[in-house]
Amino acid sequence: MYDFQPYKSQVRQKPLQRWELYKQHNAALTSEFSVYKSIFSDIRDYLAPRTARFDGEKVNDPTRQDLKIINSHPRLAVRTLSAGMQSGVTSPLRPWFRLGFSDPDLQNYQPVKEWLFTVESLMRDILSRSNIYDRLKSNYGTMGTYGPGAFFLDEDEDDVIRGYDFPIGTFRLATSHTGRVTQMYRDVSFTTIQMINKFGNKCPDIVKLSYDRGDYYTRYPVVHIVEPNENYQDGNALSHRKKFASVWFDPTKDGEQSILKYSGYDYNPFMGPRWDLLGEDTYGMGCGEFALGDAKQ
């Protein structure tokens, strides 16, 4: 057994509180992402306007972002890539997945085959009624153009499942020692009424005051974290003991009151695909970087 005691600090320090850790990690991941901002900004400006959001740029901002584009061919290529990926990988018009078992005897047992067919049909029906295909197509375009993408799959009261994809510049990723993307920190803004509906009494006082005076559409910043839960207990049904932690916190506040909601998932609810990777890089490279020189010319 390895003895890690020599590597531990001999000075007794006060452990960081949970909210302090979240803020610290958020700042570190934001700093790591910042080195990519220049290249991603150029890709947006010359190839894919309105597909990224940097440094507090507003939601529903009608400002034109295509003023540097003279030739529209690169922009059309982005649309062709996303449509081609959708058609080739997850086409809504044909079966693109099949369920099965590794045991060939079980796989060929007629009642099992009938059960698999029924479940496949239900899954395809759920996917077709949800927004998954629209969001996947958008995510293919983001990943293929910039390099990284982020896709979130959550439960939905109306459609069973609902997908979310996020603009470049609004999310930060981190990987495990195996290179898998296991952490996501993302910025999101909610209106007053959205804050009240999602967080209830946990909302900051300024949000409650806005709601009371009828100001329903002012936006407030929130950070959403999904990462492996250090307090995970196998088989424990409590939300704070699940395998992945889901935390919403107010980046403008300090203290435990900054945490708006804490819950968890039994599975990793997001994907962080990268188009191409070099070694231990987190964000990778996309086709937009290869085409950027030609697009500028």
Side-chain angles (χ1 to χ4, degrees), residues 27 48 63-64 77 122 134-135 154 210 212 216 246 257 263 294:
T63 304
R64 290 187 62 180
L122 289 172
D134 288 339
R135 296 302 91 211
D154 206 354
S210 294
D212 289 341
Y216 296 152
S246 172
Q257 68 271 16
S263 58
D294 292 334

Side-chain angles (χ1 to χ4, degrees), residues 3-287:
D3 181 11
F4 291 100
Q5 190 62 35
Y7 303 98
K8 296 181 180 179
S9 172
Q10 300 302 311
V11 179
R12 192 171 186 85
Q13 297 179 348
K14 180 181 178 181
L16 291 175
Q17 297 185 51
R18 187 169 58 177
W19 66 271
E20 292 176 305
L21 283 172
Y22 294 144
K23 285 207 165 188
Q24 186 182 83
H25 294 171
N26 186 45
L29 293 180
T30 299
S31 177
E32 182 181 61
F33 176 81
S34 65
V35 300
Y36 292 89
K37 182 191 169 186
S38 177
I39 184 70
F40 286 162
S41 295
D42 276 355
I43 291 173
R44 178 187 69 175
D45 294 344
Y46 286 95
L47 283 88
R50 307 187 74 82
T51 59
R53 191 175 295 136
F54 301 108
D55 295 339
E57 291 176 344
K58 295 181 179 179
V59 177
N60 300 323
D61 185 357
T63 304
R64 290 187 62 180
Q65 297 178 354
D66 61 350
L67 298 179
K68 294 182 179 180
I69 294 180
I70 298 175
N71 189 319
S72 63
H73 279 81
R75 190 174 186 181
L76 293 174
V78 172
R79 296 179 59 186
T80 301
L81 183 147
S82 60
M85 289 286 291
Q86 175 82 299
S87 176
V89 181
T90 54
S91 173
L93 302 179
R94 60 177 175 80
W96 55 270
F97 65 89
R98 178 170 295 175
L99 302 180
F101 293 99
S102 57
D103 185 340
D105 293 331
L106 188 61
Q107 176 75 23
N108 294 322
Y109 185 46
Q110 186 60 33
V112 171
K113 293 169 68 174
E114 293 175 358
W115 181 85
L116 289 173
F117 176 79
T118 300
V119 175
E120 283 179 15
S121 300
L122 289 172
M123 290 176 64
R124 293 191 182 104
D125 181 60
I126 290 171
L127 289 171
S128 66
R129 289 188 288 109
S130 72
N131 71 331
I132 295 298
Y133 288 114
D134 288 339
R135 296 302 91 211
L136 281 174
K137 182 180 178 182
S138 178
N139 191 67
Y140 290 143
T142 299
M143 176 184 63
T145 305
Y146 293 94
F151 184 81
F152 194 92
L153 185 65
D154 206 354
E155 297 178 359
D156 185 79
E157 294 181 357
D158 298 320
D159 298 325
V160 184
I161 56 174
R162 189 163 186 83
Y164 304 85
D165 67 295
F166 311 123
I168 289 291
T170 64
F171 63 86
R172 283 80 65 198
L173 304 175
T175 60
S176 68
H177 65 283
T178 62
R180 292 185 176 89
V181 176
T182 55
Q183 291 175 276
M184 181 186 69
Y185 282 54
R186 71 179 181 100
D187 300 318
V188 62
S189 67
F190 287 133
T191 63
T192 304
I193 191 66
Q194 289 171 339
M195 291 282 287
I196 293 294
N197 287 336
K198 188 167 186 64
F199 305 119
N201 288 331
K202 295 288 288 184
C203 287
D205 290 339
I206 188 173
V207 176
K208 296 175 183 177
L209 290 173
S210 294
Y211 181 79
D212 289 341
R213 63 172 178 259
D215 180 8
Y216 296 152
Y217 300 104
T218 298
R219 287 191 172 270
Y220 300 91
V222 179
V223 175
H224 184 207
I225 303 166
V226 179
E227 61 184 8
N229 186 2
E230 62 180 11
N231 297 314
Y232 167 62
Q233 288 184 352
D234 188 19
N236 195 322
L238 296 176
S239 62
H240 65 281
R241 297 295 187 184
K242 291 185 179 293
K243 194 169 186 177
F244 282 83
S246 172
V247 184
W248 300 82
F249 79 86
D250 182 350
T252 67
K253 301 290 184 182
D254 288 331
E256 287 298 322
Q257 68 271 16
S258 66
I259 299 179
L260 303 173
K261 184 178 181 180
Y262 189 97
S263 58
Y265 292 90
D266 293 315
Y267 57 91
N268 188 347
F270 76 91
M271 294 175 283
R274 284 77 50 82
W275 185 266
D276 200 4
L277 279 178
L278 175 64
E280 300 81 24
D281 286 358
T282 300
Y283 293 98
M285 302 168 290
C287 300

